[in-house]
Amino acid sequence: MTSADTDGKVRLPVARRAALVPLSVTINGDRRQLAVPPNRTLLELLRYDLDLFGTKQGCDKGDCGACTVRLDGAPILSCLTLALECEGKCVLTVEGLPGGAELHPLLDSFDRTGAAQCGFCTPGFLMTSWALLDETPRPTRDEIRQAIAGNLCRCTGYKAIVDAIELAAKMLRGEEPRLIGLPGSANLPPPIGTLPTGATAKDKDKRTAPGAGSSASQSASQLANQSANQPEEPKP
Amino acid sequence: MSDSGGEAASRTAGEDATGGRALPPPIERHGDVLRRLGVVRYTDDIKLPGMLHAKILRCPHPHARIRSIDPSRALALEGVYAVVTGKDMPRRFGIIPWTPDEYPLALEIARFVGDGVAAVAAVDELTATLALKLIAVDYEVLPHVTDPFEALRRPEIGLGKSGRDNISKHVALDFGDVEGALAKSDVVSEGHYYFEGSAHVPIEMHCAIGDYDREGLLTVYSATQVPHYLHRELSRVLEISPARIRVIQPPVGGAFGGKSEPFDLEFCVAKLSQVTGRPVKLLYTREEEFYAHRGRHPMHLHFKVGCMKDGTLTAVDAKTLIDGGAYSSFGLVTTYYSGQLLTLPVFPPAYRFDSTRVFTNKPPCGPKRGHGSVQPRFAFEVALDKLAVEVGVDPIELRRKNAIGGNTTSLNGLRVTSNGFLECLDAVERASTWRERRGKLPFGRGLGVAGSSYISGTNYAIYPNEMPQSAVQLKVDRSGRVTIFSGQSEIGQGCDQLLRVIVADELGLDYSAVRVVSGDTDLTPVDLGAYSSRGAFMNGNAALMAAREVKQKLREAVAGKLGCELRDVVVTRGALCHRDEPGRCVDVTTAIQLAEARFGTLGAVGHYNTPKVGGDYRGGTIGASPAYSFTAHVAEVDVDLATGEARIVKIWVAHDCGKAICPVIVRGQMEGSAYMGAAEAVLEEHVIRPDGLHVGPSLLDYRIPTSLDVPDLEALIVESHDPEGPLGAKETGEGPLHPSIPAIANAIYDAVGIRLDRLPFTPARVLQALREKRRREGDDNGAALANTAALANTAALANTGPVAKTAAAE
Amino acid sequence: MLPLPVFQHHSPTTLADAVALMAELGDGARLIAGGTDLLPNMKHGLVEPEHLVSLAGVRELRTIVLTDEHLELGAMARLADIAAHPEVVRHAAALAEATAAVGGPHHRRMGTLGGNVCLDTRCVYFNQTYFWRQALGFCLKKDGTACHVVASGKNCVAAASNDSGPALMVLDAELELAGVGGVRRVLASEFYTPDGITNTVRRADEIVTKARIPLKSGRKSAFEKLRRRGAIDYPLLNAAARVDRDRAGVIANVEVVVSALAARPKRIKAQGALAREVSIEALVEGYANAAFKQCRPLTNLDNDTEWRRDMVKVVVARALGRAAAADPE
């Protein structure tokens, strides 16, 4: 083995690096002022610079969809998007999908149907289907299959994913109850220092994509609060 | 439930001494998905302070001697910290203790395009990538071989252990008088089948991080299915005591068998971390994923299967040539599996197989979902279909007639307990409306059936030892929370959730109160890994054992509190109650506190070892399992007569999983398996060119299906309640892949009357076979394509009138 | 990661600035539109520009306009938007179908018309990593001297692999190119050349700014693509067909283009297919047979060349069948 010494050795010039360029971009609702090299992809920016590891790398050249994020609402491949091309734009990643008490119906439905097995492709599917449901509240199964055709999954055979997206669409339209049998929903501790509902709704709006239905999200939060407030009862 | 063994298998595992407790209603959600959605850290999501990034320099020749390696220019590049080569780790490793034949980096000889020869650690991936181009390697190119028949013909290439041949393993076993039985058969189907190899293609690529700390403790994080075996091999190769090594296996983003042995990157990051004193990460590129491979072996299978006029099977004579690629991997086992796993659930009383695995200068093959048995299953189930047609017996009937049943022993000594195969056949026959439709669909459309069986783990650990094959520890907290420490590897198959449900069910808890810590050799007891479909059966039983010990203490404490007999205390959802007085209850959390007060800190260990099963002959334990799953598929295809594309319309998948503890997970495994098999049938092939280059090591060229390329899937769960499985459960992860391919092949025959004995069934091959059929049948249009209207496939064409005289466009 | 090489990035906001930049930066500059073709190629070391000039900020190139005589599509119009645009579907069905068939849904959300028109040619010996190409010994399109498709071939036969090109050709579209010397217009059918290394007449400093598709009553067009999967794949073959009918509903004119063969999409010549009283079946068959004779797929895209040749008939028949079958409005 050979280690590189720092002393007494003539070094080749540094691998040529371009100067950093300022970048202003909104990520999951937070405006960020950054400086990046021009050869930084959005995927690298998210994972390496911002530690937003939810966005995955599956091929790094646009063949698999694992790195899908939303750029100004549209699902795009972050591995084929230069970070600098996002100047002034809004990026949403899986970390931006509402969780907790306002759990997004997609997260709920993916667990219901088993639409994630290993979970590695899932953030990409969530981003693609989040955009789909914002644009098409009542998608047919064929429209769903078409929309996710750029996201490869190796575990499920896709059926459970199509089922989940269909189910989430129904939840968003209020046609299907949410948070049914959600693990832990019966066991959630009572909220500590509970925020007034108004504050929660505002938080949510900040994180929701333009055009996302908000009335449904509201009902999710109500449901979650209800179950959260129920003390666990030992069943006699 | 039928007479096939399921009935005999009473549900002892789901009950206990107190009796009468019903299982909770099936969990109609996965239950463990939310944790994964962007929150779980996979290996590449781990970032350690001061971490360096490594890359491996790979050999561009299929077979070459390394004369010298000069890393000086790479080391002179700013940002490069170290370079290691084969000489830094000159000890062989291999998953099978008898065939260690790989070095972490090639020592003298590189054996395929993509074999690692040096590794560099640098400040980032870009620098490491640039540094690779600055490492000078002097190669002497050696003769190479990529075809397995050529490997037999050219022993002088010397890829075998002796250096005098290219043989990796040869197995020949005989059961009964095959010659005699074939001679007496009314019909013998003889065919040569070829199964092109395929790759696992998990969406997460292999990744590992080495962290050799200042106390000399080596921690390796890896996307592996086998942390325990990795632990052992790291110790052997790096010559560090296993007590100084910790292997952490973060959740894995898909594996399918492709991460079930040590790989070059794990040794490289460990060594580079040792050299640099900094954590080092290495993430494969998608291209390297195809070089690391260990995918399904290409196999040439020559099968003779005989039967009588009434459909009774007489004998099977199989000769198989297995293309192993450059290294042994699991090859010894693969060679046995290519014959041993065929004898269930439908088989004649005479059998012999002769399997030879050869080395070639290609990426090494290994275990892919349905290790070693998917290929012969294809040949055999297609042969059964040919025989059924020949003797005029319905293919489902032929299988029923020859089914082995439950509580019996197979020809080669496999002990069978529960067996729901006939129920599986019934289920797919009914759901597909087989009787109404098979053989009666319009030309181009058809139905096909196939069946199979698979192991629930093997009774033989990869290295011989008497210690448990699986173990868990339970920690019970007085808050009412239980933590399971499990050595099993969560790779997406759902083993963590399965443990939660099993333990929660025993203790009357909501499964969200149970948490699993898994895959960490410092924190969790040894489990051999996520392979051989062993997780649910072995790890589940280990968890059950530990949970029952805790339950006993809870019941004793509650009996004391209620002032009743121990036998009167039963566990219900959320509480422990007097069985005759439902009002007298203690909630589980209180019961835990009572038990802790009485017995001290609560915890338990559980473990599992298989009973000694298997045939009494050399190799008789390979393929021997405590329980077997059973599967039947019906596939429906629609062949485009103009393009040759065989579109798979639907697959009905019936699978005997013993007991569906988590139905959503069981269905997911069934659908995922069936789809993966379907893709191998029509789309996927892992091809290496004669010059040793991979035809296209990318997700653009190695095409796995998109959502638009998969059939409709219908999962039909069959429960046979295995007497030894945890709560009656058996495997589900691999079995349901097997019948996909032959069911599709048989459906294509039903649709258009052609037999494609070579995989995959590409449009080009289907079209070619259709033409040959027409030619054989003396069709006037033989060589010509169908007429244009058929080509255009446009109904509107028929209604259009003549066109008036016009000038041509050109 | 497949690290991108180092370059400088420029974001002009007007076409004039973009044109000036390209002229100023010279040979080392490349345009980037959607990036779905260029960036993978850069990651493979196939293109090594010193400067990338991004057209993302040039808003004037994004419009889709219907005038009395033309459908004008800006080069930066997204493929997905074109595919779904009602006027494109109505007046240029072949283009709508072609853009809907490009890659996967993400590629169509990112990719642009100009980018697709200028898509680099593809070949199994070219679109590979540096390591792979090095193991092969490189090829004449990049870093090497030998062609691996045509033994001892001196000309690169990498295949035109865009789907919009054949559609624009049959639609008689005109491409507008802007350079420092001004604007010039080139017929789509004259835009491509047989050279696989650079298969268009666009000069390195020119920018494709728009495609103008003439409106013609009685015109009907269609597009077909052969690929192994329903999405993501580049074409193994594609065909666009257009049929013009006169006021009496009689077919006056037919144009068929087949691509994903070699560097230039091929116009199918079927002398006589329209020269007599023929049924539509005969017309379609005439073109399908002519295409079969004129098109010889190479091993540049895959090894099933015989099958692909057979499929020439099928894609032509299916495209032309649809273009000829329905009555024009």
Side-chain angles (χ1 to χ4, degrees):
Chain A
M1 89 210 51
T2 338
S3 299
D5 301 318
T6 39
D7 50 331
K9 191 177 281 181
V10 181
R11 289 188 165 259
L12 290 175
V14 188
R16 201 168 58 86
R17 278 163 214 286
L20 300 185
V21 181
L23 168 67
S24 170
V25 57
T26 302
I27 296 174
N28 296 329
D30 299 331
R31 195 168 174 77
R32 310 291 293 255
Q33 304 290 340
L34 306 163
V36 299
N39 61 345
R40 210 60 158 161
T41 64
L42 177 56
L43 176 63
E44 291 165 337
L45 177 79
L46 294 171
R47 290 182 58 82
Y48 294 174
D49 299 335
L50 304 177
D51 290 355
L52 289 168
F53 294 111
T55 305
K56 304 302 183 199
Q57 179 198 158
C59 69
D60 209 27
K61 64 184 215 41
D63 302 333
C64 77
C67 68
T68 305
V69 300
R70 298 182 70 182
L71 186 61
D72 281 353
I76 55 104
L77 302 167
S78 61
C79 74
L80 296 188
T81 301
L82 296 175
L84 289 178
E85 303 270 323
C86 303
E87 173 66 36
K89 296 187 177 178
C90 290
V91 176
L92 286 171
T93 70
V94 70
E95 289 89 349
L97 256 183
E102 292 175 61
L103 192 73
H104 192 281
L106 279 166
L107 301 178
D108 188 353
S109 69
F110 267 58
D111 190 59
R112 276 266 290 275
T113 68
Q117 287 183 23
C118 81
F120 200 82
C121 69
T122 315
F125 275 95
L126 288 169
M127 291 298 102
T128 301
S129 48
W130 190 12
L132 171 73
L133 296 185
D134 280 354
E135 293 163 6
T136 314
R138 200 176 286 275
T140 62
R141 282 182 81 80
D142 194 53
E143 282 171 331
I144 294 171
R145 273 192 289 269
Q146 292 286 347
I148 61 172
N151 292 85
L152 296 178
C153 168
R154 194 57 162 165
C155 294
T156 61
Y158 300 102
K159 180 172 187 255
I161 297 176
V162 177
D163 289 347
I165 296 168
E166 205 177 26
L167 179 61
K170 284 184 186 152
M171 289 177 177
L172 281 166
R173 300 197 303 263
E175 297 166 10
E176 189 74 33
R178 299 159 72 166
L179 307 169
I180 296 296
L182 188 72
S185 64
N187 276 352
L188 283 177
I192 299 164
T194 313
L195 292 167
T197 6
T200 322
K202 212 172 102 202
D203 273 349
K204 165 191 65 65
D205 285 344
K206 232 168 64 184
R207 280 173 296 162
T208 311
S214 59
S215 61
S217 300
Q218 184 61 41
S219 68
S221 103
Q222 282 164 357
L223 258 174
N225 283 339
Q226 277 163 19
S227 44
N229 287 324
Q230 280 168 1
E232 189 195 349
E233 296 172 41
K235 285 148 197 94
Chain B
M1 193 103 5
S2 79
D3 59 350
S4 61
E7 210 165 20
S10 71
R11 271 190 45 196
T12 50
E15 297 164 0
D16 61 24
T18 59
R21 183 175 54 84
L23 279 170
I27 312 278
E28 285 304 341
R29 48 162 76 232
H30 185 290
D32 198 33
V33 164
L34 283 181
R35 196 173 55 84
R36 305 177 153 271
L37 301 183
V39 182
V40 162
R41 290 276 179 111
Y42 299 84
T43 307
D44 188 37
D45 302 338
I46 294 166
K47 192 171 168 181
L48 300 177
M51 189 165 76
L52 302 175
H53 295 267
K55 287 276 176 194
I56 293 176
L57 180 68
R58 299 191 176 276
C59 177
H61 308 291
H63 197 195
R65 183 182 308 280
I66 299 164
R67 288 206 196 97
S68 66
I69 301 178
D70 176 8
S72 57
R73 287 183 67 224
L75 285 164
L77 186 67
E78 184 165 335
V80 171
Y81 282 74
V83 173
V84 292
T85 67
K87 288 186 177 140
D88 299 312
M89 294 175 278
R91 286 174 68 92
R92 288 195 180 96
F93 72 94
I95 183 70
I96 303 292
W98 297 277
T99 58
D101 60 355
E102 290 183 69
Y103 294 98
L105 294 166
L107 190 56
E108 287 172 48
I109 308 282
R111 287 161 68 107
F112 67 98
V113 174
D115 215 354
V117 295
V120 55
V123 66
D124 56 23
E125 284 182 283
L126 177 57
T127 307
T129 306
L130 293 172
L132 291 186
K133 293 189 185 175
L134 300 175
I135 299 173
V137 185
D138 184 15
Y139 292 107
E140 176 194 347
V141 177
L142 303 172
H144 74 276
V145 59
T146 57
D147 176 77
F149 288 107
E150 197 187 336
L152 289 176
R153 285 195 305 271
R154 295 178 63 195
E156 74 279 6
I157 292 178
L159 299 172
K161 191 179 178 188
S162 66
R164 290 191 297 274
D165 60 32
N166 302 308
I167 305 296
S168 163
K169 179 73 187 171
H170 175 245
V171 174
L173 288 171
D174 277 64
F175 308 94
D177 176 17
V178 173
E179 296 284 350
L182 284 177
K184 284 184 206 134
S185 303
D186 291 330
V187 185
V188 174
S189 160
E190 180 169 2
H192 190 91
Y193 302 84
Y194 180 60
F195 198 120
E196 185 67 76
S198 64
H200 312 84
V201 196
I203 307 298
E204 180 206 31
M205 297 172 285
H206 286 66
C207 184
I209 302 169
D211 185 11
Y212 192 86
D213 72 13
R214 288 173 189 179
E215 289 186 319
L217 176 75
L218 172 66
T219 303
V220 172
Y221 303 76
S222 180
T224 180
Q225 300 173 252
V226 286
H228 174 61
Y229 294 135
L230 176 59
H231 190 193
R232 285 167 53 85
E233 294 298 272
L234 281 169
S235 168
R236 263 177 12 88
V237 170
L238 301 174
E239 299 177 86
I240 300 173
S241 158
R244 309 292 300 160
I245 300 176
R246 175 183 184 186
V247 173
I248 298 176
Q249 174 251 314
V252 171
F256 316 108
K259 297 171 179 169
S260 54
E261 59 198 284
F263 287 86
D264 55 9
L265 79 169
E266 291 149 333
F267 301 102
C268 288
V269 293
K271 194 71 192 177
L272 286 166
S273 180
Q274 215 178 357
V275 173
T276 61
R278 299 178 59 168
V280 177
K281 179 192 276 186
L282 202 158
L283 169 69
Y284 276 170
T285 60
R286 182 52 67 180
E287 179 187 23
E288 287 177 291
E289 204 60 31
F290 287 99
Y291 298 149
H293 194 44
R294 321 288 154 154
R296 195 166 327 280
H297 288 73
M299 286 193 195
H300 291 273
L301 308 118
H302 195 89
F303 264 65
K304 278 189 239 177
V305 183
C307 82
M308 307 308 291
K309 277 184 187 144
D310 67 353
T312 306
L313 293 172
T314 54
V316 174
D317 185 4
K319 191 157 192 221
T320 300
L321 179 60
I322 306 171
D323 184 349
Y327 293 108
S328 285
S329 179
F330 280 85
L332 182 152
V333 179
T334 315
T335 313
Y336 274 105
Y337 276 7
S338 71
Q340 287 286 65
L341 295 186
L342 203 55
T343 56
L344 298 173
V346 166
F347 216 69
Y351 177 39
R352 73 177 169 208
F353 72 90
D354 182 315
S355 295
T356 306
R357 183 181 190 265
V358 294
F359 291 117
T360 51
N361 295 106
K362 303 198 283 197
C365 298
K368 180 181 166 186
R369 202 175 200 171
H371 178 192
S373 57
V374 169
Q375 304 95 322
R377 181 59 63 183
F378 158 61
F380 179 64
E381 296 287 327
V382 170
L384 289 188
D385 204 65
K386 291 176 181 174
L387 290 172
V389 170
E390 186 88 18
V391 298
V393 175
D394 178 283
I396 290 183
E397 271 322 308
L398 184 130
R399 286 172 173 82
R400 279 200 184 101
K401 192 178 181 68
N402 293 280
I404 186 169
N407 295 316
T408 183
T409 302
S410 79
L411 179 65
N412 56 343
L414 308 181
R415 184 202 69 162
V416 181
T417 51
S418 62
N419 181 342
F421 181 63
L422 293 178
E423 291 83 343
C424 291
L425 281 179
D426 294 346
V428 292
E429 184 183 53
R430 205 165 37 239
S432 66
T433 59
W434 172 272
R435 286 189 203 181
E436 293 77 17
R437 298 198 301 145
R438 192 230 167 213
K440 296 164 196 155
L441 293 166
F443 189 75
R445 195 128 177 157
L447 292 172
V449 69
S452 73
S453 175
Y454 202 66
I455 53 177
S456 304
T458 69
N459 75 327
Y460 199 74
I462 276 177
Y463 65 99
N465 74 85
E466 298 296 318
M467 291 176 278
Q469 289 153 299
S470 184
V472 302
Q473 294 178 339
L474 286 194
K475 175 199 173 280
V476 183
D477 191 82
R478 60 180 73 164
S479 67
R481 178 127 171 132
V482 174
T483 306
I484 306 168
F485 295 87
S486 159
Q488 246 300 312
S489 301
E490 176 59 62
I491 58 172
Q493 84 280 45
C495 66
D496 283 1
Q497 178 65 6
L498 183 84
L499 289 194
R500 291 168 84 196
V501 171
I502 288 175
V503 170
D505 175 53
E506 271 317 294
L507 302 181
L509 290 165
D510 185 309
Y511 69 82
S512 64
V514 182
R515 140 173 217 230
V516 180
V517 175
S518 61
D520 182 329
T521 60
D522 263 17
L523 301 183
T524 63
V526 169
D527 178 284
L528 298 179
Y531 64 94
S532 286
S533 276
R534 50 186 298 287
F537 200 93
M538 299 197 182
N539 203 221
N541 270 325
L544 206 54
M545 175 179 168
R548 284 182 175 160
E549 187 182 322
V550 171
K551 182 165 80 174
Q552 180 71 7
K553 287 181 176 164
L554 300 191
R555 286 174 59 232
E556 281 182 36
V558 169
K561 171 80 175 174
L562 297 179
C564 63
E565 295 292 318
L566 175 62
R567 64 169 183 273
D568 291 331
V569 179
V570 294
V571 175
T572 65
R573 297 278 283 168
L576 285 82
C577 301
H578 192 291
R579 69 160 151 195
D580 300 324
E581 298 165 53
R584 291 175 71 195
C585 287
V586 175
D587 70 86
V588 178
T589 305
T590 307
I592 288 169
Q593 290 166 358
L594 290 170
E596 190 174 342
R598 179 160 171 184
F599 299 106
T601 304
L602 287 182
V605 296
H607 58 86
Y608 179 79
N609 240 343
T610 54
K612 292 298 163 216
V613 287
D616 187 19
Y617 55 89
R618 186 181 166 84
T621 54
I622 301 185
S625 172
Y628 295 87
S629 74
F630 295 90
T631 314
H633 288 191
V634 165
E636 180 167 355
V637 301
D638 187 6
V639 178
D640 183 326
L641 301 176
T643 65
E645 186 194 352
R647 189 173 66 88
I648 306 156
V649 179
K650 182 159 184 173
I651 304 179
W652 291 267
V653 184
H655 180 71
D656 164 21
C657 66
K659 164 75 195 167
I661 295 174
C662 304
V664 171
I665 292 176
V666 170
R667 275 197 291 274
Q669 289 298 314
M670 290 166 67
E671 290 167 6
S673 290
Y675 124 86
M676 192 174 264
E680 291 183 65
V682 297
L683 197 57
E684 295 180 26
E685 54 186 326
H686 191 263
V687 182
I688 306 298
R689 296 151 39 96
D691 62 6
L693 261 73
H694 193 293
V695 295
S698 75
L699 292 183
L700 197 57
D701 294 318
Y702 185 90
R703 301 179 180 101
I704 69 170
T706 74
S707 54
L708 301 174
D709 306 303
V710 289
D712 187 12
L713 300 164
E714 187 171 333
L716 306 156
I717 294 175
V718 170
E719 295 184 321
S720 63
H721 300 284
D722 189 80
E724 294 173 27
L727 311 182
K730 302 188 286 190
E731 82 85 37
T732 307
E734 304 186 68
L737 189 149
H738 293 72
S740 279
I741 299 163
I744 290 162
N746 297 338
I748 291 174
Y749 178 77
D750 189 45
V752 292
I754 58 168
R755 292 286 182 192
L756 289 165
D757 293 341
R758 181 199 166 130
L759 284 164
F761 313 136
T762 61
R765 289 184 187 138
V766 171
L767 200 62
Q768 177 68 22
L770 276 171
R771 283 192 180 150
E772 280 164 14
K773 174 173 179 269
R774 288 199 194 111
R775 207 173 285 139
R776 271 199 315 273
E777 292 171 358
D779 185 333
D780 285 344
N781 297 325
L785 275 168
N787 66 38
T788 310
L791 279 185
N793 201 14
T794 312
L797 272 183
N799 308 327
T800 45
V803 192
K805 188 181 283 184
T806 51
E810 296 289 339
Chain C
M1 286 289 168
L2 299 165
L4 279 171
V6 171
F7 55 84
Q8 286 185 45
H9 184 265
H10 307 268
S11 312
T13 53
T14 66
L15 179 59
D17 286 354
V19 167
L21 261 172
M22 287 303 286
E24 179 194 325
L25 297 171
D27 286 349
R30 288 288 294 243
L31 291 163
I32 178 167
T36 56
D37 179 40
L38 181 66
L39 292 183
N41 286 354
M42 284 174 66
K43 288 180 176 200
H44 281 176
L46 301 172
V47 193
E48 297 159 299
E50 285 169 38
H51 300 270
L52 285 190
V53 176
S54 168
L55 295 176
V58 184
R59 292 179 158 271
E60 64 204 89
L61 296 182
R62 294 184 200 165
T63 51
I64 299 175
V65 184
L66 184 70
T67 69
D68 288 345
E69 289 171 358
H70 292 99
L71 182 61
E72 289 195 0
L73 302 125
M76 288 298 289
R78 304 280 166 188
L79 297 171
D81 295 336
I82 294 170
H85 200 286
E87 300 297 348
V88 181
V89 173
R90 196 171 119 115
H91 296 289
L95 184 64
E97 290 169 12
T99 48
V102 171
H106 302 95
H107 302 110
R108 300 193 292 270
R109 292 297 274 260
M110 302 167 73
T112 64
L113 182 64
N116 193 251
V117 163
C118 297
L119 189 90
D120 200 355
T121 54
R122 299 186 64 84
C123 178
V124 291
Y125 298 99
F126 171 70
N127 296 98
Q128 301 281 1
T129 63
Y130 183 86
F131 170 79
W132 193 99
R133 292 185 295 118
Q134 178 197 28
L136 176 77
F138 300 109
C139 78
L140 60 76
K141 184 161 160 76
K142 175 70 179 159
D143 301 323
T145 52
C147 178
H148 304 273
V149 176
V150 180
S152 69
K154 292 287 172 249
N155 299 309
C156 176
V157 292
S161 297
N162 56 3
D163 293 310
S164 59
L168 291 170
M169 285 171 71
V170 298
L171 291 166
D172 296 333
E174 210 173 50
L175 297 169
E176 199 171 282
L177 291 90
V180 273
V183 169
R184 64 175 175 135
R185 292 182 179 154
V186 180
L187 278 173
S189 55
E190 290 166 8
F191 185 69
Y192 298 100
T193 72
D195 179 4
I197 293 175
T198 310
N199 76 331
T200 74
V201 299
R202 183 181 73 89
R203 289 191 301 269
D205 63 340
E206 279 182 318
I207 299 173
V208 173
T209 57
K210 65 174 71 157
R212 285 152 55 92
I213 299 170
L215 303 182
K216 221 173 152 189
S217 65
R219 172 164 287 192
K220 192 87 195 168
S221 64
F223 174 86
E224 287 284 336
K225 174 170 177 170
L226 184 72
R227 55 179 162 180
R228 293 294 309 281
R229 295 184 292 185
I232 302 178
D233 292 345
Y234 284 94
L236 290 171
L237 206 62
N238 59 21
R242 173 263 288 171
V243 170
D244 290 335
R245 289 178 188 257
D246 63 18
R247 288 210 183 106
V250 173
I251 293 182
N253 213 317
V254 170
E255 183 79 30
V256 172
V257 171
V258 178
S259 191
L261 297 162
R264 181 155 63 177
K266 202 171 198 72
R267 291 175 73 182
I268 302 306
K269 300 181 184 70
Q271 208 77 40
L274 272 183
R276 54 190 164 78
E277 291 246 341
V278 287
S279 65
I280 288 185
E281 286 91 330
L283 172 77
V284 168
E285 188 163 359
Y287 268 91
N289 286 332
F292 181 75
K293 287 197 190 95
Q294 291 163 33
C295 300
R296 286 179 194 276
L298 303 167
T299 55
N300 51 6
L301 298 183
D302 78 1
N303 282 329
D304 282 332
T305 50
E306 276 186 43
W307 175 69
R308 282 172 61 220
R309 188 158 181 228
D310 290 339
M311 292 307 102
V312 168
K313 277 186 166 184
V314 177
V315 292
V316 167
R318 287 183 179 176
L320 183 55
R322 287 196 293 118
D327 286 322
E329 300 112 279

